Amino acid sequence: MLRRRYGPMAAPATIFSSLDAAQKSNEKGSTFAPSRAKNAGNAGAHDAPFAATQIRRINPMAGPISAVEDGFLKRLKAGKLPSAITTTTLDDAGLNPLDLAALLETQITSRRLDLEARRLGAEKRGFYSIGSAGHEGNAGVAHIFRVTDMAFLHYRSGAFLLERARKLPGQTPVWDMALSFVASSEDPISGGRHKVLGSKSLFIPPQTSTIASHLPKAVGAAFSVALARTHNKDDAAMPHDAVTLCSFGDASANHSTAQGAINSAALTGYRGLPLPLVFVCEDNGIGISVKTPEGWVAANYANRPGLRYIAGDGRDVVDAVRAAREAEQCARGPRKPVFLHLRTVRLMGHAGSDLEAAYRPKAEIEAEADHDPLLHSARRVVEAGVMTLGEIETLYGEISERVRRVMEAACDRPKLASATEVEAPVTPPACTRKPKPGKLLASAPDDSRAKSEPQHMSRLISLALADEMARNRDITVFGEDVGKKGGVYGATVQLQRKFGPARVFDTALDEQSILGMAIGAAHNNYLPIPEIQFLAYVHNAEDQLRGEAATLPFFSNGQYANPMVVRIAGLAYQKGFGGHFHNDNAIAVFRDIPGIVLACPSSGEEAVKMLREAIRLAEKENRVVIFLEPIALYGTKDLIEAGDGRMATTYDAIDGAASFGAPHVIGDGADLAIITYGNGTYLSRRAAKRLEQSGVKSRIIDLRWLAPLPVDAMLKAVGKRKNILVVDECRRTGSLAEEIVTELTEHGFNRNIKRLNATDTFVPLGPAADTVLVSEDEIVEAGLALSGGAKRKAAE
């Protein structure tokens, strides 16, 4: 009855309907264009458009591609289906037989994409072979959650993407994934830059292969959903009742990044704060060749405070659906974080080049193959009376042929052909959203007096942040101690009293989670301004910038961006206080990340102007900006003499912003050009006074923008000056000074050039710090030496 009712191909018949049309068209000697395929009358979610190319018929059943396929087909033909491993029924999962047939089709399609990717890799025509074989049960997770539930997926989630595509008409995921496998520039998510699972329309931001690096931003995205609901944010990217998903493997769960993100989620849940998040741990028991001890994942998370644990068997798609439904109800209703633990198997090696027979016994490999998710789904379909084994075999063959033809056609599509094409999305497209004003609390303190009196840098920063938050309601400020305390140096003082704890809030002591929070919030159209308490603390979280924030526009071909301004207190000269961890003077970690903007002010006035521009860059140009604030200048009020007040500025007197890429030029002396930034500018201004007394007139070029280096503006400011001194407060090796001197040399500045740097060591505690850092006296001595012996003698 069920077979007669649903038909053996009732659910899957429309999936490749446009390919059928393409085949018939080709047999008549014509070609089939993408526009015709997309407009096919009964096109389903998996339809694949073809460019003008001849499509050759291939019999996919003649010689299976791999032992996995061979084993599956032999078991299927022989009727050797696995016994039930769960007691879950279709009713328990809320499924009907038609749903089950569609899920099987999704799983088969995912498997065939994996096998074809490996075939093309072996033929040197494909470029990525980490597949989803054995993890096809995640189609059941996609079946439950909405398209608008943002999903951060790991690389074994092909079936998830295929199943989600069913929910949105007009999608062509098989063709899209094929283009990605062969690195075609027509790949609709990355433009041929990487094999990533992603889709703008399906709310799946593309992920890199960095292990577990996507978990912190998933926490941030989920937190932002709750924030948007609190703020009644009407332009959020995700609905206010959305859930965020994040999938990863059992081996990744051991990574410190995963541990930090899961801890942050559990802490949020423990505090009773809303966090509609589902972690999906797909546990196949092995990470490449290293096994995860049986029961390890459950032992760690089954009883974790603040985190709901739900287990399911991903080998049985019906049980995966049951568990996913339970997780969805917990995350969407009570808005509690969930750890969804799905048992899976890994079929084939980790990737195409991995021969698992070298480290796994044959019996173990065979035992895994016996529990192939496709076999369990086939058993389910047969038991439900939807299809016979022969009909499943026919379905497999038809899908195989269609997937192979898609992959063959994709191989002929264009590739990226120039560095210009590759680099294009490193700088993201501009943002068209217009900011809406934020509201101050009725009890907000009055800053009018503070704005009318001279203030040091840290207070000026807090005043500038307050004005920007009042101008743009999407700005949120968060980090360690930024709330009631107002920051360890007072740079966020009174902000929480003005805007409330929903816009200014403290985080756990975890820099990875802080930056992940920013990335996730930016996905929901917030403009985050996180604070990293000290420069030395960013290094254990740097991949959140390098591997996630900076790469997102690149791997999405400019479709996604996560604009933010990351404030970091750093650099040295704290009178020896704190030693290395409070005086870190190494910034090379930021300078080689494509697309990142690195800014460093040299005074309170400059900090205000540059912060305004940094926020504009994030708001209007979708940029990720690192705003490096010199700790030693936070409270500095005097420049030359005690009480002169030349480093303090009245906020109300500070007009405008500092133009991006424009250095701050101080003085017009023709004898010496001093190129510097941050504390170096402060020291150089003091040294310039002494040099002038010795007859050496100088021009100080305060770079402001350290990445990308404003080379043309810097060279123009140097002009015809024959003596050039580069003052770089950071370590000599890997310093900005190296790049500056290189640019001067390559641009033909054959002049007297010298650079001063801190020595290649860590900054010690106490007065010893002065022995390794650039000093005012060194600047004076070097300036005199460059400018000639006569002037040096006069100074002596």
Side-chain angles (χ1 to χ4, degrees):
M1 290 295 293
L2 283 172
R3 268 200 302 277
R4 286 199 295 273
R5 179 180 176 186
Y6 295 105
M9 292 291 290
T14 61
I15 287 179
F16 286 102
S17 55
S18 66
L19 284 178
D20 292 332
Q23 180 68 51
K24 291 176 182 177
S25 181
N26 185 63
E27 288 170 353
K28 295 177 182 178
S30 62
T31 57
F32 196 83
S35 59
R36 288 183 59 193
K38 291 202 173 195
N39 293 325
N42 62 344
H46 293 195
D47 293 342
F50 276 75
T53 182
Q54 294 296 311
I55 306 170
R56 55 194 178 95
R57 180 176 288 277
I58 301 171
N59 180 6
M61 306 302 287
I65 293 173
S66 74
V68 169
E69 181 175 54
D70 188 29
F72 168 75
L73 292 175
K74 284 182 178 179
R75 289 173 174 88
L76 192 67
K77 287 176 181 291
K80 293 183 178 180
L81 302 181
S83 300
I85 50 177
T86 73
T87 59
T88 305
T89 66
L90 290 181
D91 288 341
D92 292 337
L95 290 172
N96 62 48
L98 187 62
D99 294 329
L100 186 59
L103 285 166
L104 173 60
E105 182 201 11
T106 293
Q107 293 179 299
I108 292 173
T109 305
S110 177
R111 176 67 57 81
R112 286 302 308 166
L113 279 165
D114 286 346
L115 295 172
E116 287 297 321
R118 293 211 173 195
R119 177 179 67 85
L120 291 182
E123 296 172 2
K124 309 301 181 185
R125 294 191 294 154
F127 306 98
Y128 198 85
S129 58
I130 298 180
S132 306
H135 286 246
E136 290 90 353
N138 55 40
V141 180
H143 181 78
I144 292 299
F145 288 87
R146 302 172 185 171
V147 170
T148 52
D149 291 333
M150 189 166 284
F152 300 92
L153 305 178
H154 81 327
Y155 42 65
R156 301 198 190 279
S157 302
F160 182 104
L161 188 146
L162 292 170
E163 182 64 21
R164 174 166 282 195
R166 288 182 179 275
K167 298 173 180 283
L168 192 65
Q171 300 300 301
T172 56
V174 174
W175 177 243
D176 298 344
M177 291 173 70
L179 292 171
S180 183
F181 281 127
V182 301
S184 170
S185 57
E186 294 178 348
D187 163 24
I189 186 61
S190 77
R193 290 169 183 83
H194 202 279
K195 166 60 186 74
V196 289
L197 290 172
S199 168
K200 181 72 172 177
S201 58
L202 297 178
F203 280 71
I204 303 176
Q207 302 308 305
T208 68
S209 294
T210 306
I211 300 301
S213 62
H214 57 303
L215 271 70
K217 65 181 179 183
V219 177
F223 192 80
S224 76
V225 170
L227 276 185
R229 188 169 178 174
T230 299
H231 295 151
N232 195 27
K233 182 175 168 58
D234 56 6
D235 61 348
M238 291 176 276
H240 294 341
D241 64 346
V243 172
T244 299
L245 295 100
C246 178
S247 63
F248 52 96
D250 52 291
S252 295
N254 296 312
H255 198 280
S256 64
T257 310
Q259 293 286 316
I262 296 169
N263 179 75
S264 290
L267 178 61
T268 303
Y270 187 78
R271 294 175 62 192
L273 298 175
L275 191 71
L277 171 67
V278 177
F279 290 117
V280 184
C281 180
E282 299 182 21
D283 185 354
N284 62 28
I286 193 168
I288 304 184
S289 66
V290 180
K291 291 185 178 180
T292 298
E294 184 71 28
W296 171 250
V297 174
N300 273 272
Y301 298 107
N303 298 295
R304 186 73 175 267
L307 191 65
R308 173 75 180 277
Y309 174 86
I310 297 172
D313 200 317
R315 299 171 299 177
D316 177 4
V317 71
V318 176
D319 196 56
V321 170
R322 186 271 313 162
R325 190 180 299 279
E326 186 179 346
E328 187 263 353
Q329 291 171 349
C330 180
R332 199 181 309 280
R335 297 194 291 168
K336 299 294 185 181
V338 178
F339 190 97
L340 176 57
H341 183 196
L342 294 179
R343 183 173 182 178
T344 62
V345 292
R346 191 191 76 190
L347 304 179
M348 303 187 287
H350 175 73
S353 58
D354 177 36
L355 299 176
E356 63 177 348
Y359 53 83
R360 299 184 83 177
K362 182 178 180 180
E364 181 181 307
I365 295 173
E366 286 294 319
E368 295 276 78
D370 286 340
H371 285 288
D372 185 336
L374 271 61
L375 291 173
H376 279 286
S377 293
R379 172 183 55 79
R380 285 281 194 175
V381 168
V382 170
E383 290 173 349
V386 183
M387 301 173 71
T388 65
L389 288 177
E391 289 167 342
I392 294 173
E393 184 180 352
T394 298
L395 172 62
Y396 187 90
E398 292 182 354
I399 290 176
S400 297
E401 180 180 352
R402 286 156 173 78
V403 170
R404 178 167 287 198
R405 288 191 287 116
V406 171
M407 296 292 276
E408 287 295 325
C411 288
D412 295 331
R413 304 313 302 153
K415 309 290 194 293
L416 294 169
S418 69
T420 300
E421 288 182 275
V422 172
E423 296 168 1
V426 167
T427 300
C431 177
T432 57
R433 285 195 325 276
K434 294 183 179 180
K436 297 181 180 180
K439 294 181 179 179
L440 273 72
L441 300 180
S443 59
D446 184 5
D447 281 336
S448 56
R449 179 176 177 181
K451 289 182 175 181
S452 64
E453 297 176 347
Q455 303 289 347
H456 51 64
M457 180 187 286
S458 66
R459 187 68 179 104
L460 289 169
I461 288 173
S462 70
L463 293 171
L465 285 170
D467 274 3
E468 292 297 305
M469 294 184 73
R471 182 188 60 81
N472 186 345
R473 69 173 187 179
D474 292 335
I475 293 176
T476 55
V477 173
F478 50 88
E480 301 161 19
D481 302 302
V482 302
K484 290 182 178 180
K485 183 176 177 62
V488 292
Y489 292 101
T492 59
V493 69
Q494 295 191 355
L495 290 183
Q496 192 177 80
R497 292 179 59 193
K498 293 177 182 177
F499 300 100
R503 291 189 65 194
V504 182
F505 51 90
D506 294 322
T507 66
L509 199 155
D510 178 13
E511 284 72 25
Q512 291 184 110
S513 292
I514 292 171
L515 294 177
M517 176 75 71
I519 298 170
H523 271 296
N524 207 20
N525 292 339
Y526 277 97
L527 202 168
I529 304 183
E531 177 182 300
I532 301 298
Q533 206 164 74
F534 293 99
L535 176 59
Y537 297 175
V538 80
H539 299 302
N540 69 343
E542 179 260 341
D543 185 60
Q544 288 298 301
L545 296 171
R546 180 183 301 275
E548 293 294 338
T551 62
L552 185 61
F554 182 79
F555 288 129
S556 68
N557 201 15
Q559 297 173 76
Y560 280 100
N562 32 221
M564 67 185 73
V565 177
V566 184
R567 294 182 43 255
I568 304 176
L571 303 175
Y573 297 100
Q574 287 195 82
K575 307 299 183 184
F577 168 78
H580 162 68
F581 291 103
H582 295 81
N583 288 271
D584 190 7
N585 62 337
I587 61 173
V589 67
F590 304 120
R591 291 179 43 243
D592 72 337
I593 305 177
I596 289 281
V597 174
L598 176 60
C600 182
S602 61
S603 68
E605 180 178 0
E606 283 294 295
V608 171
K609 291 181 177 181
M610 292 178 65
L611 185 57
R612 290 170 179 167
E613 178 67 356
I615 292 174
R616 186 199 69 79
L617 287 169
E619 180 183 293
K620 301 297 184 184
E621 300 186 24
N622 278 324
R623 302 302 292 271
V624 175
V625 183
I626 309 300
F627 197 77
L628 184 60
E629 300 166 2
I631 297 174
L633 299 181
Y634 270 147
T636 301
K637 292 185 176 181
D638 303 324
L639 178 62
I640 304 298
E641 300 175 351
D644 67 14
R646 292 177 59 186
M647 290 290 284
T649 307
T650 302
Y651 182 84
D652 284 340
I654 303 174
D655 293 327
S659 298
F660 176 48
H664 179 213
V665 177
I666 305 169
D668 200 32
D671 299 322
L672 176 67
I674 303 177
I675 304 173
T676 187
Y677 63 92
N679 290 300
T681 300
Y682 170 77
L683 294 173
S684 295
R685 290 175 69 186
R686 291 175 58 87
K689 180 72 173 178
R690 293 168 57 185
L691 287 168
E692 186 175 10
Q693 292 171 350
S694 300
V696 177
K697 296 182 179 181
S698 61
R699 162 175 282 188
I700 298 172
I701 303 166
D702 178 12
L703 291 170
R704 288 174 166 167
W705 311 101
L706 310 186
L709 188 67
V711 175
D712 292 341
M714 176 186 74
L715 299 180
K716 182 178 179 181
V718 170
K720 296 182 180 181
R721 291 165 182 80
K722 295 182 178 181
N723 305 304
I724 304 171
L725 177 62
V726 180
V727 178
D728 185 349
E729 62 186 283
C730 291
R731 302 172 198 159
R732 185 173 184 84
T733 300
S735 68
L736 185 66
E738 290 181 338
E739 183 179 358
I740 293 171
V741 172
T742 298
E743 292 289 353
L744 291 169
T745 303
E746 291 182 348
H747 282 82
F749 279 62
N750 188 19
R751 308 178 191 180
N752 298 324
I753 300 174
K754 181 176 178 60
R755 65 181 174 118
L756 296 177
N757 282 98
T759 60
D760 285 339
T761 186
F762 303 105
V763 178
L765 188 66
D770 295 336
T771 66
V772 301
L773 299 174
V774 176
S775 68
E776 178 186 328
D777 288 344
E778 286 179 298
I779 297 171
V780 172
E781 182 180 352
L784 291 174
L786 283 169
S787 301
K791 292 180 178 178
R792 176 171 182 159
K793 184 176 181 180
E796 295 173 344

